[in-house]
Amino acid sequence: MELLNKDINEVLVSAEQLQIINRRLGEQITKDFEGKNLLVVGILKGSVYFMTDLTRYIDLPLKLDFLAVSSYGSGTRSSGAVKIIKDIDIDLAGYDLLLVEDILDSGRTLDYVSRMLQTRGANSISICTLLDKPERRVVELEPDYVGCSVPDEFVVGYGLDYDQKYRNLPYIGSLKREIYE
Ligand code: IMP
Ligand code: MG
C-alpha cells in the first residue's frame, strides 16, 4: 500500500486492531440477538468492509441488506441533507434490525435513516458504528455498539473515503491536510 500510505498522516486503527474490534462486537451481538430474527443492514458504501468482517464473527443465522445514502459530496463536512439513493429490498416486518455504519459524526445520517425505518414494522432497530467522533455530534443519538472513538480529524480507509478514494486501505488513518485543503 505504499502509494496510498504516503497520503496518510497517522494510522489510528491498525488492521490487527480492526479484527480485535470486529471479534468483540460480533461476540456481543451474538449474545444480544440470540433467538431474534436478525437483519443486518449496511449503509453503503462506507460500511462494506466493516460489515463483511463483522458478520463473520456473528454466530447466528442472519440476513443482509443494504441502504445507500448521500450527505457529503466531495467535501469533508456533512451538508446536513441526507438523501436515500438505494432503499432496502426486504420487508422489515418481524425483523430485528442492526444498522451498520462506518462512522458516526454529526449523527444526522443515522438519525434520518433510523427514523425513516421506524415506520416499517421492525421488532427493533439497533445501531452499530465502527467509529465514533462524539465531540462532533449535532443530533442526539446513542449507538448501541461502537468499535472505537476517533479524534476530530478526517479519517479514511477500511471503507471510509475521501472523494470516493482510499476505501481499500486495510487500516483507518487520518488523511494529510494538504490532500483536502
Ligand atoms: P453524519 O451524518 O455527520 O453523522 O456523518 C456520517 C457520514 O459522514 C458517514 O457515513 C461518513 O460517510 C461521513 N463521514 C463523517 N466523518 C468522516 C470521516 O472522517 N471520514 C470519512 N467519512 C466521514
Ligand atoms: Mg457513510
Side-chain angles (χ1 to χ4, degrees), residues 2-3 40 44 59 110 125 157 164:
E2 262 174 58
L3 291 176
V40 181
L44 293 173
D59 188 12
L110 277 171
I125 301 181
Q164 300 297 329

PDB file of all heavy atoms in Angstrom, residues 2-3 40 44 59 110 125 157 164:
ATOM      1  N   GLU A   2       2.075   1.192  -0.520  1.00  0.00           N
ATOM      2  CA  GLU A   2       2.997   2.343  -0.454  1.00  0.00           C
ATOM      3  C   GLU A   2       2.438   3.607  -1.085  1.00  0.00           C
ATOM      4  O   GLU A   2       2.594   4.704  -0.561  1.00  0.00           O
ATOM      5  CB  GLU A   2       4.307   2.001  -1.166  1.00  0.00           C
ATOM      6  CG  GLU A   2       5.404   1.564  -0.210  1.00  0.00           C
ATOM      7  CD  GLU A   2       6.640   1.101  -0.952  1.00  0.00           C
ATOM      8  OE1 GLU A   2       7.183   1.901  -1.716  1.00  0.00           O
ATOM      9  OE2 GLU A   2       7.026  -0.071  -0.769  1.00  0.00           O
ATOM     10  N   LEU A   3       1.760   3.460  -2.219  1.00  0.00           N
ATOM     11  CA  LEU A   3       1.263   4.644  -2.936  1.00  0.00           C
ATOM     12  C   LEU A   3       0.146   5.331  -2.165  1.00  0.00           C
ATOM     13  O   LEU A   3       0.049   6.550  -2.152  1.00  0.00           O
ATOM     14  CB  LEU A   3       0.783   4.260  -4.339  1.00  0.00           C
ATOM     15  CG  LEU A   3       1.894   3.835  -5.310  1.00  0.00           C
ATOM     16  CD1 LEU A   3       1.303   3.374  -6.630  1.00  0.00           C
ATOM     17  CD2 LEU A   3       2.882   4.973  -5.539  1.00  0.00           C
ATOM     18  N   VAL A  40     -29.147  -7.612   9.171  1.00  0.00           N
ATOM     19  CA  VAL A  40     -28.058  -6.643   9.226  1.00  0.00           C
ATOM     20  C   VAL A  40     -28.143  -5.753   7.987  1.00  0.00           C
ATOM     21  O   VAL A  40     -28.116  -6.247   6.860  1.00  0.00           O
ATOM     22  CB  VAL A  40     -26.689  -7.359   9.284  1.00  0.00           C
ATOM     23  CG1 VAL A  40     -25.562  -6.344   9.359  1.00  0.00           C
ATOM     24  CG2 VAL A  40     -26.629  -8.305  10.477  1.00  0.00           C
ATOM     25  N   LEU A  44     -24.334   1.894   2.639  1.00  0.00           N
ATOM     26  CA  LEU A  44     -23.330   1.956   1.555  1.00  0.00           C
ATOM     27  C   LEU A  44     -22.802   3.384   1.414  1.00  0.00           C
ATOM     28  O   LEU A  44     -23.516   4.318   1.684  1.00  0.00           O
ATOM     29  CB  LEU A  44     -23.980   1.536   0.227  1.00  0.00           C
ATOM     30  CG  LEU A  44     -24.405   0.067   0.119  1.00  0.00           C
ATOM     31  CD1 LEU A  44     -25.193  -0.160  -1.178  1.00  0.00           C
ATOM     32  CD2 LEU A  44     -23.188  -0.840   0.173  1.00  0.00           C
ATOM     33  N   ASP A  59     -22.305 -15.429  15.276  1.00  0.00           N
ATOM     34  CA  ASP A  59     -22.589 -16.860  15.166  1.00  0.00           C
ATOM     35  C   ASP A  59     -24.096 -17.113  15.263  1.00  0.00           C
ATOM     36  O   ASP A  59     -24.571 -17.797  16.166  1.00  0.00           O
ATOM     37  CB  ASP A  59     -21.815 -17.594  16.281  1.00  0.00           C
ATOM     38  CG  ASP A  59     -21.902 -19.110  16.133  1.00  0.00           C
ATOM     39  OD1 ASP A  59     -22.345 -19.582  15.069  1.00  0.00           O
ATOM     40  OD2 ASP A  59     -21.532 -19.800  17.096  1.00  0.00           O
ATOM     41  N   LEU A 110     -27.539   8.742  10.561  1.00  0.00           N
ATOM     42  CA  LEU A 110     -28.189   7.638  11.273  1.00  0.00           C
ATOM     43  C   LEU A 110     -29.521   8.057  11.870  1.00  0.00           C
ATOM     44  O   LEU A 110     -30.452   7.257  11.951  1.00  0.00           O
ATOM     45  CB  LEU A 110     -27.261   7.080  12.352  1.00  0.00           C
ATOM     46  CG  LEU A 110     -26.252   6.063  11.824  1.00  0.00           C
ATOM     47  CD1 LEU A 110     -25.232   5.721  12.903  1.00  0.00           C
ATOM     48  CD2 LEU A 110     -26.966   4.792  11.351  1.00  0.00           C
ATOM     49  N   ILE A 125     -34.763  -1.791  16.327  1.00  0.00           N
ATOM     50  CA  ILE A 125     -33.718  -1.203  15.484  1.00  0.00           C
ATOM     51  C   ILE A 125     -32.539  -0.857  16.389  1.00  0.00           C
ATOM     52  O   ILE A 125     -32.689  -0.107  17.355  1.00  0.00           O
ATOM     53  CB  ILE A 125     -34.209   0.067  14.755  1.00  0.00           C
ATOM     54  CG1 ILE A 125     -35.423  -0.256  13.859  1.00  0.00           C
ATOM     55  CG2 ILE A 125     -33.081   0.679  13.918  1.00  0.00           C
ATOM     56  CD1 ILE A 125     -35.972   0.936  13.086  1.00  0.00           C
ATOM     57  N   GLY A 157     -10.044   4.916   4.935  1.00  0.00           N
ATOM     58  CA  GLY A 157      -9.593   3.530   4.934  1.00  0.00           C
ATOM     59  C   GLY A 157     -10.642   2.567   5.442  1.00  0.00           C
ATOM     60  O   GLY A 157     -11.612   2.971   6.083  1.00  0.00           O
ATOM     61  N   GLN A 164     -14.427   9.496  -2.682  1.00  0.00           N
ATOM     62  CA  GLN A 164     -14.587   8.109  -3.173  1.00  0.00           C
ATOM     63  C   GLN A 164     -13.279   7.306  -3.204  1.00  0.00           C
ATOM     64  O   GLN A 164     -13.276   6.144  -3.603  1.00  0.00           O
ATOM     65  CB  GLN A 164     -15.260   8.058  -4.558  1.00  0.00           C
ATOM     66  CG  GLN A 164     -16.665   8.663  -4.594  1.00  0.00           C
ATOM     67  CD  GLN A 164     -17.653   7.909  -3.708  1.00  0.00           C
ATOM     68  OE1 GLN A 164     -17.540   6.711  -3.511  1.00  0.00           O
ATOM     69  NE2 GLN A 164     -18.617   8.625  -3.162  1.00  0.00           N
TER      70      GLN A 164
END
